[in-house]
Amino acid sequence: MRATYSLHDRVLANRTSRRHFSGSVPELDDVQQKIVSALDAEGYCVVPFSELIPDAATWTAIEQQADEFVSDTEAGLEGDGEALRVRAGKEFVVRRHSFGVELGFDDPWFAVCASRPMLDIANTYLGLWSKLQYVDVWYSVPQAADADRKASQRWHRDFNDKHLLKAFLYLVDVDDSTGPFEYVPESAPGGRYADEWPWRPLGENYPPDGELEKRIPEDGIRTFTAPKGTMVFCNTAGFHRGGFATERPRVLATVTYCSPASLASLTDRSYLYTGSLDEVDDATRFALS
Ligand SMILES: O=C(O)CCC(=O)C(=O)O
């Protein structure tokens, strides 16, 4: 699989998608440009959702869905929890969709993720036509403050692509006890900290507990405590962790854009697109198919 990824990255899938991108470079507005510049410099950018997507109705629809998801999740947690979508080893995150869900433009968060404002950011940052690989909403269940951090609550690099962009949209206020997302700026491939446990496809991507702090100075870590409605863009091939909520649940919407090489070798798309591919433009069709 490693060899397949590298081949697709260097020669096959990504070469074609780089060509598509350079043949139709999108014009970015000031907000998009600011996000891409910050991503280029540090691997992350924080922006109020309303700055990027000013349409109030979209935000209201996302909020409404989040409210329903929170009520259903909390009812499930009070009951036997049977109906909740959780993954083995990551029981602390309840997912609204998980893998295999059918989604189309009638879903407000999916519609944002597949919109040109978002795709143009992802494609420009990655320098290729990206694939919309993962879309979901998460509810991170509060843990005992003295519990051990598990899975993505620990520092790691995502193993599945080096051309990776995720966005996290906070749907509640997030403070230190709500499991904020955390990141080491400039740790993605090409950055100042790229050589610390360097990214490799399917690599050993979780440093032993306590070791990262020995190599990264305290002021080299960003903790994203922020109000509801904040969006964090991030290249998660760099070091990150989060979701260790201890007092209040953290609720966020998330999306992943990856390169075609990743989808061809190391990842699966999380959803089935139910709309018509004939009615979308070329870059969007590419992202959804
Ligand atoms: O839940 C978090 O804040 C961390 C998420 C994460 O590790 C990921 O999406 O790759």
Side-chain angles (χ1 to χ4, degrees), residues 90 92-93 138 140 151-154 156 158 166 168 170 179-182 206 236 240-244 250 252 254 256:
K90 279 193 80 167
F92 56 88
V93 189
W138 295 344
S140 300
S152 54
Q153 296 170 335
R154 297 176 50 221
H156 65 287
D158 286 343
K166 288 190 176 177
F168 302 96
Y170 284 172
F181 181 70
E182 297 188 277
Y206 281 80
T236 53
H240 62 289
R241 68 176 183 178
F244 188 66
R250 189 193 65 179
L252 57 72
T254 183
T256 305

Side-chain angles (χ1 to χ4, degrees), residues 199-253:
W199 185 89
R200 296 197 209 296
L202 278 182
E204 225 356 278
N205 52 337
Y206 281 80
D209 282 342
E211 291 297 315
L212 181 132
E213 291 79 353
K214 292 184 190 160
R215 296 198 198 171
I216 310 288
E218 217 173 301
D219 64 2
I221 293 173
R222 282 280 283 116
T223 299
F224 301 103
T225 52
K228 176 177 179 175
T230 300
M231 183 115 127
V232 182
F233 286 89
C234 184
N235 181 341
T236 53
F239 281 112
H240 62 289
R241 68 176 183 178
F244 188 66
T246 51
E247 282 180 23
R248 279 171 299 284
R250 189 193 65 179
V251 184
L252 57 72

Side-chain angles (χ1 to χ4, degrees), residues 11-280:
V11 189
L12 302 176
N14 285 0
R15 184 185 281 177
T16 312
S17 87
R18 285 191 184 98
R19 209 174 44 234
H20 284 315
F21 177 74
S22 53
S24 61
V25 176
E27 239 179 72
L28 303 186
D29 66 20
D30 290 350
V31 179
Q32 291 174 303
Q33 190 58 63
K34 176 180 81 175
I35 294 168
V36 172
S37 302
L39 284 166
D40 282 338
E42 302 211 86
Y44 78 94
C45 181
V46 183
V47 64
F49 180 72
S50 57
E51 247 185 56
L52 182 61
I53 312 284
D55 177 38
T58 299
W59 170 249
T60 305
I62 290 172
E63 236 186 343
Q64 240 165 32
Q65 270 195 341
D67 289 348
E68 281 166 30
F69 170 57
V70 168
S71 311
D72 292 350
T73 301
E74 291 181 347
L77 289 169
E78 276 168 28
D80 60 11
E82 278 288 298
L84 298 177
R85 294 190 184 89
V86 292
R87 215 189 279 163
K90 279 193 80 167
E91 288 81 2
F92 56 88
V93 189
V94 180
R95 292 146 207 272
R96 174 161 182 256
H97 299 311
S98 201
F99 277 65
V101 63
E102 296 191 346
L103 287 174
F105 280 89
D106 54 338
D107 181 276
W109 175 237
F110 178 84
V112 166
C113 300
S115 69
R116 284 308 293 258
M118 290 288 280
L119 272 181
D120 288 348
I121 289 169
N123 294 355
T124 306
Y125 172 59
L126 299 174
L128 44 71
W129 274 8
S130 64
K131 297 287 185 183
L132 178 54
Q133 182 252 329
Y134 181 90
V135 179
D136 215 335
V137 181
W138 295 344
Y139 179 110
S140 300
V141 182
Q143 314 285 295
D146 62 356
D148 288 335
R149 284 175 176 265
K150 283 189 253 161
S152 54
Q153 296 170 335
R154 297 176 50 221
W155 288 114
H156 65 287
R157 297 180 185 277
D158 286 343
F159 68 88
N160 51 336
D161 206 353
K162 61 178 160 183
H163 314 285
L164 205 53
L165 182 65
K166 288 190 176 177
F168 302 96
L169 170 60
Y170 284 172
L171 298 169
V172 292
D173 291 340
V174 175
D175 65 11
D176 282 321
S177 64
T178 322
F181 181 70
E182 297 188 277
Y183 190 64
V184 177
E186 297 184 77
S187 59
R192 181 193 341 195
Y193 297 117
D195 294 338
E196 307 299 344
W197 302 279
W199 185 89
R200 296 197 209 296
L202 278 182
E204 225 356 278
N205 52 337
Y206 281 80
D209 282 342
E211 291 297 315
L212 181 132
E213 291 79 353
K214 292 184 190 160
R215 296 198 198 171
I216 310 288
E218 217 173 301
D219 64 2
I221 293 173
R222 282 280 283 116
T223 299
F224 301 103
T225 52
K228 176 177 179 175
T230 300
M231 183 115 127
V232 182
F233 286 89
C234 184
N235 181 341
T236 53
F239 281 112
H240 62 289
R241 68 176 183 178
F244 188 66
T246 51
E247 282 180 23
R248 279 171 299 284
R250 189 193 65 179
V251 184
L252 57 72
T254 183
V255 56
T256 305
Y257 304 92
C258 70
S259 75
S262 175
L263 207 55
S265 56
L266 298 177
T267 48
D268 292 319
R269 200 188 293 278
S270 72
Y271 61 90
L272 214 71
Y273 172 60
T274 53
S276 161
L277 285 171
D278 296 335
E279 286 162 22
V280 296

